[in-house]
Structure formats: structure tokens, C-alpha cells
């Protein structure tokens, strides 16, 4: 029996056709998404169709599910038409809207407001979160805001299209009442509470100015309430991080460090968390547990920047970094090339500290870039530990994990923890496929799919690296 898992990510759409019993990939396809932080969802549908065709189609699958980039604001009118291009998670234009909503919740006091939002939806607001984008829409494009009849997320919208729905202008039924989602993606909106499992229409009204809009029904972890035109059940789907956790088979105490366009540290835990500092988002996972998560805007592109600065390829950056000593002889990078989400500095820039005539060289610079990438993620893990998360296993995945330097330096930055690197794979799509297999099985737990070929990296803690980074990480361009 075959199932399909789809990953509609920031950069592309991936489709995996998987054996439901073993998790073995039988066929796969991929298609690119447009660049930018604002994308019309029709581009996602076109990319899905291309990727599905490359994978041999999904006509023969028993079920399908979609994992997708979180937080993206997809607004539909009463006929199911896209109101405006979707603002993606990495669009920071709503930073001021986030500040305004925090102050509103705190009656003008930021600390009180941050605590209120953490308690209400598990997260202190930053520009990434959907509710802030709706406030921006209300304030910046009131005519478009007035047209909004439904709000959903990228994976919700693609699942809706997979079920045969669509805008009336394109011959679809426009049935916005048929929108569905899951608890993991809903927990990143800012108007759904992981602790209670319910929407907060009052928070939606703060953002959009009204709460009379359709929101997707939140399904259980392996519930299906829709089918493809061919009759295959469609799973509830998941946010990309929860789908990746499902694809990796993470359980309580497991930590995932994902180094892609963004850097994401997440952990499976049995109870919800609320962090008023804003460093940790208290999301839900795709199984019924919780997924505290710290996300950085800057991750694998830090290594891209190193290749540009040094004028060498990725292998050379890795070799140079490994040839230098821990702490790069005092050279430290604060890697906020694209602003930052954790900590919340959307307008910050990157900076290099500690340069002298003696230590300024390619090896130390390369080492500083790799160490900065890992220190960003280690700070996120520290914040989770402070909330009671006890890490037992650390998994390193994503494009950035392909770097030999990143793999070998990770244990030292992560306080000497062993670091497990699974084989390179599409774990978001794999997690969606595993959910689809779970939907078909009807079992209480998802199927067990082994991951062969994982490598474990060991090393001693290198406190000098974290200490140097901590000393300069706040020395950035003013956050205005």
C-alpha cells in the first residue's frame, strides 16, 4: 500500500510516494516555488502539480497529507478567491504590528503584554506569526482586509485544493467552510491556544478588527475529514517542524536542530509551555503532545555568506573552519544577516567582533561563521532547558547539516551532547506520509518507520565558544 506525503515549503514543493508499512520512498518529485517573502498561492498549486507529475502522480495512493511552512497568511474572499498574495513567515513588515498587539494586551506595558500573549497562545508575538500579519493588513490595506472572509495557512490551502475545492472564478465551489488544519499549524497563528485546543476569536478581532471570518476546522492527529477527487483520505497535515519531527520519529526528550532557510530547535514534551521572554514558542506537535520551538531567521545562509566573503566553495569553508581552534582565536560573528526573530531584532544586521591583525585570516573567519550558526541554535536549546525540557537525544537535519564542519563542531557547542545526523532526506514530506499511513491504519499510534544510516558525532564541550558569543550577541545595529 502506498501513501503520499507533500511538503509545501518556502523554497519548493516535494512529493514523496512511500510504502505505508516500511516508510521506503518509492517515487518522488520536486518543483521550485518563487523567491520572495510574498507569494501568490496559485504558484504553490502549480508547483504541487509539477512535483506530483514528476513523482508519477498520486492516483494510486491510499491516503495523502501535507506538511507546510508555518505562519503564512492566506486570505480568501467569500468565493474562495485569494485576496492578496500570501505574506510568508519570513516577511518582517508586520514587526510594528506585533509590537502594537503586545502593548494592547498589556494596556501599554510591554512585559505585561508579552506575558499575556504567551499565556493566550503559547508565543510572544513577532513578525513571523500570522496574527501580526492580519493586523498589518488591517492597518496598511484596509480595502483588502474588508474583503477577507476566511484565513488559513499554506498547508491548509493546499489541502483544500487537493480536496477539489477552489475559487469560483476558476470553476471551483469556493467552499471556504471546508477548510481544515491540524493543531501544530494552528498553534503558530497567534489566535489558537495549544493549552486549551481552541481558537481565540477575541485575539483575531484585535488583529483584523472583526472575528466574523471562517477559520479552518482543527482535526485530531490522525483524523480525516476530506478526500481527493480519486477518493483517497486527506490527513490533517502539519506545520513543517511538527511534520519533520513526525518524519524523524521523535519522542519525548528528543531535540531536533534543523538548519535550513531558518534555524529551528524543537523538542517533544508532554505538556504545553509558555515563555514570556519570547525566546521559545509553545507550539503543539502532530501527535497530541507539544513542540516548544525556538526559531532563528538566520541559519544555513550564514554559511552561504561565508562562501561569498571568503570567495571559496562550501567544502573549502568547512575545511578552513576545521583547521582553526575553538573560539577562532577570538573572532566572533553575530549572524543577523536578515534581521532576527530569536532574539526579536527584525532590523538588526550582522557584525564581526574581535578582529586583530594577528587573527584576521580565512580559517578564523570560516570558524567564526560556523560557530555562530551553532551558537544561535544552542541559545534556543538553553531557553528550552530553562522551561523544563530535558534533552536526551539531539538530531541535526537540514541543508546546513551537510557541512562536515557543522557536524563535527556541533557537539562542542551543544555542551558535549552527542549529535545524531540522519541520512539526508525530505523529513517534512516523510512526516506527512507517515501521518497519511496513520490515517489509513486507524491505529492509536503512527506506524514505526526505521531510519537507517544515521551517524553519531561526539565531542567535548567548548565553553569558550559560547562565552565569546554571549559577550557580543547584543552588540548589533539598533533595533529600530
Amino acid at each position: 500500500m502506498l501513501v503520499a506525503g507533500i511538503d509545501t515549503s518556502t523554497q519548493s514543493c516535494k512529493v514523496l510516494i512511500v510504502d505505508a508499512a516500511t516508510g521506503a520512498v518509492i517515487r518522488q518529485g520536486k518543483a521550485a516555488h518563487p523567491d520572495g517573502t510574498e507569494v501568490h498561492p496559485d504558484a504553490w498549486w502549480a508547483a504541487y502539480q509539477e512535483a506530483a507529475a514528476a513523482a508519477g502522480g498520486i492516483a494510486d495512493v491510499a491516503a495523502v497529507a501535507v506538511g507546510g511552512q508555518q505562519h503564512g497568511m492566506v486570505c480568501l474572499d467569500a468565493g474562495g478567491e485569494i485576496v492578496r498574495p500570501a505574506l510568508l513567515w519570513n516577511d518582517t513588515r508586520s514587526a510594528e504590528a506585533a509590537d502594537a498587539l503586545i502593548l494592547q494586551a498589556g494596556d501599554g506595558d510591554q512585559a505585561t503584554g508579552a506575558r499575556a500573549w504567551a499565556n493566550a497562545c503559547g508565543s510572544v508575538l513577532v513578525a513571523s506569526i500570522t496574527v501580526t500579519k492580519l493586523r498589518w493588513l488591517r492597518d496598511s490595506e484596509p480595502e483588502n482586509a474588508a474583503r477577507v472572509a476566511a484565513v488559513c495557512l499554506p498547508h491548509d490551502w493546499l489541502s483544500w485544493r487537493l480536496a477539489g475545492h477552489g475559487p469560483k472564478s476558476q470553476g471551483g465551489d469556493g467552499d471556504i467552510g471546508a477548510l481544515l488544519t491540524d493543531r501544530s499549524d494552528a498553534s503558530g497563528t497567534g489566535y489558537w491556544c495549544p493549552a486549551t485546543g481552541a481558537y481565540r476569536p477575541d485575539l483575531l478581532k484585535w488583529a483584523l478588527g472583526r472575528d466574523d471570518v471562517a477559520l479552518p476546522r482543527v482535526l485530531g492527529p490522525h483524523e480525516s475529514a476530506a478526500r481527493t477527487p480519486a477518493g483517497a483520505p486527506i490527513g490533517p497535515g502539519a506545520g513543517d517542524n511538527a511534520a519533520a519531527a513526525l518524519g524523524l520519529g521523535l519522542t519525548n526528550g528528543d531535540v531536533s536542530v534543523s538548519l535550513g532557510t531558518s534555524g529551528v530547535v524543537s523538542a517533544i514534551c508532554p505538556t504545553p509551555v509558555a515563555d514570556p521572554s519570547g525566546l521559545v514558542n509553545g507550539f503543539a506537535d502532530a501527535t497530541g503532545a507539544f513542540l516548544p520551538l525556538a526559531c532563528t531567521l538566520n541559519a544555513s545562509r550564514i554559511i552561504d555568506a561565508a562562501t561569498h566573503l571568503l570567495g571559496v566553495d562550501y567544502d573549502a569553508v568547512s575545511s578552513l573552519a576545521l583547521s582553526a581552534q575553538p573560539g577562532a582565536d577570538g573572532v566572533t560573528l553575530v549572524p543577523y544577516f536578515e534581521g532576527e526573530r530569536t532574539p526579536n531584532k527584525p532590523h538588526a544586521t550582522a557584525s564581526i567582533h574581535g578582529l586583530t591583525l594577528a587573527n584576521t585570516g580565512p580559517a578564523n573567519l570560516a570558524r567564526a561563521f560556523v560557530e555562530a550558526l551553532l551558537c544561535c541554535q544552542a541559545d534556543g536549546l538553553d531557553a528550552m532547558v530553562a522551561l523544563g525540557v530535558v534533552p536526551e537525544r539531539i538530531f541535526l537535519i537540514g541543508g546546513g547539516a551537510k557541512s562536515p564542519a557543522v557536524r563535527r563542531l556541533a557537539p562542542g557547542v551543544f555542551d558535549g551532547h552527542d549529535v545524531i545526523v540522519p541520512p539526508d532526506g525530505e523529513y517534512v514530506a516523510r512526516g506527512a506520509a507517515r501521518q497519511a499511513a496513520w490515517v489509513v491504519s486507524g491505529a492509536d499510534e503512527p506506524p514505526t518507520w526505521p531510519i537507517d544510516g544515521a551517524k553519531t558525532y561526539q565531542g567535548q564541550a567548548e565553553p569558550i565558544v559560547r562565552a565569546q558569543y554571549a559577550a557580543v550577541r547584543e552588540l548589533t545595529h539598533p533595533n529600530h
Side-chain angles (χ1 to χ4, degrees):
M1 180 174 63
L2 301 179
V3 292
I6 300 167
D7 172 15
T8 180
S9 74
T10 310
Q11 296 177 329
S12 62
C13 181
K14 282 82 72 174
V15 176
L16 298 186
I17 309 300
V18 177
D19 183 284
T22 67
V25 176
I26 306 302
R27 311 188 303 265
Q28 58 187 301
K30 180 178 180 179
H33 285 161
D35 289 333
T37 64
E38 177 179 293
V39 175
H40 196 289
D42 283 351
W44 301 334
W45 181 242
Y48 158 71
Q49 292 176 310
E50 181 182 344
I58 66 168
D60 57 344
V61 304
V64 60
V66 182
Q69 53 177 305
Q70 290 188 259
H71 311 307
M73 180 189 72
V74 182
C75 295
L76 307 179
D77 68 13
E81 195 73 41
I82 299 295
V83 171
R84 65 157 346 269
L87 298 189
L88 307 190
W89 64 273
N90 55 351
D91 192 299
T92 60
R93 74 185 74 178
S94 60
E96 292 182 1
D99 291 340
L101 285 165
I102 290 171
L103 290 173
Q104 184 172 352
D107 290 328
D109 182 75
Q110 186 174 32
T112 301
R115 189 177 303 108
W117 277 103
N119 291 334
C121 68
S123 301
V124 177
L125 299 187
V126 292
S128 303
I129 295 178
T130 317
V131 73
T132 72
K133 301 178 189 302
L134 289 171
R135 179 63 166 260
W136 174 88
L137 184 70
R138 186 198 78 175
D139 294 343
S140 301
E141 299 179 358
E143 291 184 1
N144 280 334
R147 289 181 56 205
V148 175
V151 181
C152 62
L153 300 167
H155 113 254
D156 311 338
W157 183 84
L158 189 59
S159 296
W160 185 69
R161 294 303 309 268
L162 281 171
H165 304 293
K168 290 182 177 179
S169 65
Q170 297 179 22
D173 58 11
D175 185 4
I176 57 176
L179 288 163
L180 305 168
T181 194
D182 88 302
R183 60 196 297 275
S184 71
D185 222 0
S187 66
T189 62
Y191 45 83
W192 186 86
C193 177
T196 64
Y199 279 117
R200 290 288 304 268
D202 56 326
L203 303 182
L204 179 68
K205 189 172 183 178
W206 279 10
L208 194 59
R210 54 194 177 89
D211 59 7
D212 59 340
V213 297
L215 298 174
R217 175 185 161 195
V218 181
L219 299 179
H222 56 108
E223 181 181 0
S224 177
R227 292 179 178 269
T228 67
I234 301 173
D240 50 4
N241 300 297
L246 191 59
L248 287 166
L250 301 191
T251 58
N252 188 33
D254 287 343
V255 174
S256 168
V257 179
S258 177
L259 304 177
T261 304
S262 61
V264 177
V265 182
S266 57
I268 304 294
C269 69
T271 56
V273 303
D275 179 14
S277 77
L279 292 175
V280 176
N281 296 110
F283 295 150
D285 85 336
T287 70
F290 297 88
L291 193 76
L293 179 152
C295 179
T296 64
L297 289 180
N298 298 276
S300 61
R301 289 179 179 175
I302 296 171
I303 308 301
D304 294 347
T307 67
H308 299 153
L309 176 67
L310 298 173
V312 298
D313 63 16
Y314 294 96
D315 289 341
V317 168
S318 184
S319 296
L320 285 166
L322 290 170
S323 72
Q325 294 299 309
D329 198 19
V331 180
T332 307
L333 169 72
V334 179
Y336 300 158
F337 291 98
E338 299 184 275
E340 192 44 80
R341 164 176 168 166
T342 306
N344 184 25
K345 294 178 176 288
H347 305 296
T349 56
S351 54
I352 300 175
H353 299 267
L355 293 176
T356 68
L357 291 175
N359 67 15
T360 301
N364 283 331
L365 286 168
R367 181 93 181 199
F369 274 64
V370 174
E371 288 179 345
L373 166 60
L374 291 167
C375 283
C376 284
Q377 316 313 315
D379 282 352
L381 180 56
D382 284 351
M384 291 184 196
V385 170
L387 294 173
V389 173
V390 180
E392 296 180 5
R393 300 190 296 175
I394 297 178
F395 290 76
L396 190 65
I397 63 171
K402 296 178 182 178
S403 165
V406 170
R407 296 179 181 211
R408 288 177 56 184
L409 300 188
V413 177
F414 291 123
D415 296 329
H417 280 289
D418 289 354
V419 173
I420 301 167
V421 182
D424 189 29
E426 300 293 351
Y427 287 100
V428 174
R430 176 184 166 95
R434 189 173 178 222
Q435 184 190 77
W438 192 10
V439 167
V440 173
S441 74
D444 292 336
E445 301 291 336
T448 300
W449 287 355
I451 297 178
D452 298 322
K455 294 183 179 180
T456 299
Y457 292 79
Q458 298 175 319
Q460 298 294 318
E462 299 286 359
I464 188 176
V465 177
R466 299 291 306 284
Q468 281 184 191
Y469 186 76
V472 299
R473 64 186 164 208
E474 298 300 323
L475 301 178
T476 64
H477 189 278
N479 185 13
H480 59 275

